Amino acid sequence: MALAVSKRFLGMEEVTSGTLRKMKTKLLALVERLRVGADSFSCFHLLIFILKRDAQVKIMEGTVNNAEKYLGQFCMLLASYARKNARLRDKVDLLVRQIMDFANTENPELRRCLKDLGEELSKIQDYRQAEVERLDAKVIAPLKAYGPLTKSKRADIKKFNSVRNREIKELENLQKLKQRNPLDRQGIVSFPKAEANVQKASIDVNHTTHQLEEIILKFQQQKLKDIKTIFSNFVTIEMIFHAKALEMYTNAFQHLNNFDEEKDLKV
């Protein structure tokens, strides 16, 4: 029987060509190993079902892996962004301190101008501190939570793989019994038990697959909601900070613009 299995036939349009090639190789090997006269056709379709189900689980596994990879990277980058803002806050605090010290050495007009400037810059750093704290609470912490969450989902997938492997093993044991001499008394006695084991293993794996589908669906729904919320929080936090910063910088500019050099020189 030709085994040119198409993606459409398997119902796996979203599976990558590399994954499909691996599956076809596995299918060829298993069908060749399990082929027993008239049973080859039923074995073939049973394996098609198994591999189709496995492909669906591969897609679910990819969903978890991509979430772990990209949300983890988002977490690291945004944490670095927050730390740099915190360092910038510290540097500007030092700048404000130097401005204030310098102002105390100057005449009243420049001293008032520099102190007003320093106060506005200091207010901006207060808003920057609030920005850092909000980023940590509303952006970084939710992303960090996906570390243990994706680990939990990988454990669910590992559980499925264990049950699936047991099903394939029972199926192979059944086919080995079919390949024995029909007069083999031990094989005749063991055959009903092997069939029962295959049936039980198939029921277990189908139940586990259904559970896994529900788990990953809930995970995907929560991930989409969280991504929307996290990045909405990020944009809102940044808008609030920059709006306040623009207001303070405008005030600082006005203080500098109102500075009268001639008045200071007369003093």
Side-chain angles (χ1 to χ4, degrees):
M1 179 184 293
L3 297 178
V5 184
S6 68
K7 288 184 180 182
R8 182 186 60 78
F9 182 76
L10 287 174
M12 297 177 293
E13 293 84 349
E14 56 276 275
V15 180
T16 63
S17 58
T19 302
L20 186 61
R21 283 196 300 270
K22 292 178 182 178
M23 290 170 57
K24 288 172 69 176
T25 300
K26 180 179 179 182
L27 177 61
L28 284 165
L30 283 173
V31 169
E32 185 63 30
R33 191 161 66 246
L34 301 178
R35 185 174 354 213
V36 186
D39 291 328
S40 61
F41 186 78
S42 60
C43 289
F44 173 79
H45 282 277
L46 178 57
L47 287 169
I48 285 291
F49 172 76
I50 291 173
L51 292 176
K52 178 180 178 180
R53 184 190 60 209
D54 287 358
Q56 293 169 342
V57 174
K58 280 288 184 183
I59 294 168
M60 290 187 270
E61 187 175 13
T63 298
V64 174
N65 290 339
N66 287 336
E68 181 180 39
K69 175 183 176 182
Y70 290 103
L71 296 185
Q73 290 176 347
F74 292 154
C75 183
M76 287 189 295
L77 290 171
L78 287 167
S80 176
Y81 176 81
R83 287 194 299 271
K84 287 183 178 180
N85 274 346
R87 288 196 292 269
L88 179 59
R89 173 207 61 206
D90 293 340
K91 293 297 183 182
V92 178
D93 283 343
L94 291 175
L95 173 62
V96 170
R97 193 172 300 127
Q98 290 297 313
I99 289 173
M100 293 301 189
D101 288 346
F102 176 60
N104 290 329
T105 67
E106 292 297 319
N107 290 330
E109 187 69 15
L110 180 58
R111 180 165 61 248
R112 182 173 60 253
C113 174
L114 290 176
K115 287 193 173 184
D116 289 342
L117 170 64
E119 287 177 2
E120 298 298 338
L121 293 177
S122 181
K123 290 177 185 178
I124 293 172
Q125 304 324 302
D126 291 339
Y127 287 117
R128 198 184 300 277
Q129 173 64 24
E131 174 200 21
V132 171
E133 291 174 355
R134 289 169 182 162
L135 285 173
D136 188 57
K138 295 187 176 183
V139 176
I140 297 167
L143 286 171
K144 193 180 295 183
Y146 270 84
L149 184 59
T150 52
K151 184 178 180 180
S152 171
K153 303 314 167 191
R154 282 204 312 273
D156 292 326
I157 293 172
K158 185 177 180 180
K159 177 184 176 182
F160 164 82
N161 288 332
S162 176
V163 175
R164 186 271 317 273
N165 290 338
R166 186 162 63 249
E167 178 194 34
I168 293 176
K169 182 179 178 181
E170 294 296 345
L171 179 61
E172 290 176 338
N173 289 339
L174 176 62
Q175 296 307 316
K176 287 177 182 178
L177 289 175
K178 287 182 179 182
Q179 291 173 351
R180 286 186 177 181
N181 190 325
L183 299 178
D184 187 341
R185 186 177 300 277
Q186 183 180 356
I188 294 173
V189 173
S190 302
F191 189 77
K193 182 180 178 181
E195 283 188 322
N197 288 342
V198 169
Q199 186 177 10
K200 182 180 182 301
S202 296
I203 292 172
D204 288 345
V205 78
N206 289 335
H207 178 67
T208 304
T209 302
H210 180 67
Q211 286 183 321
L212 184 62
E213 287 174 349
E214 291 183 344
I215 289 170
I216 299 303
L217 177 60
K218 289 180 181 178
F219 171 78
Q220 179 71 353
Q221 290 171 337
Q222 188 62 47
K223 184 192 74 174
L224 296 176
K225 181 181 177 182
D226 286 345
I227 288 174
K228 179 180 179 180
T229 301
I230 288 168
F231 281 105
S232 293
N233 287 340
F234 173 73
V235 172
T236 301
I237 290 167
E238 292 301 296
M239 284 194 301
I240 291 173
F241 168 72
H242 288 289
K244 292 294 184 180
L246 180 60
E247 181 183 347
M248 299 303 108
Y249 279 125
T250 300
N251 293 339
F253 179 81
Q254 290 298 329
H255 291 312
L256 292 168
N257 195 51
N258 292 336
F259 171 57
D260 188 347
E261 301 97 324
E262 294 298 327
K263 186 176 180 180
D264 192 78
L265 287 173
K266 288 179 181 178
V267 175

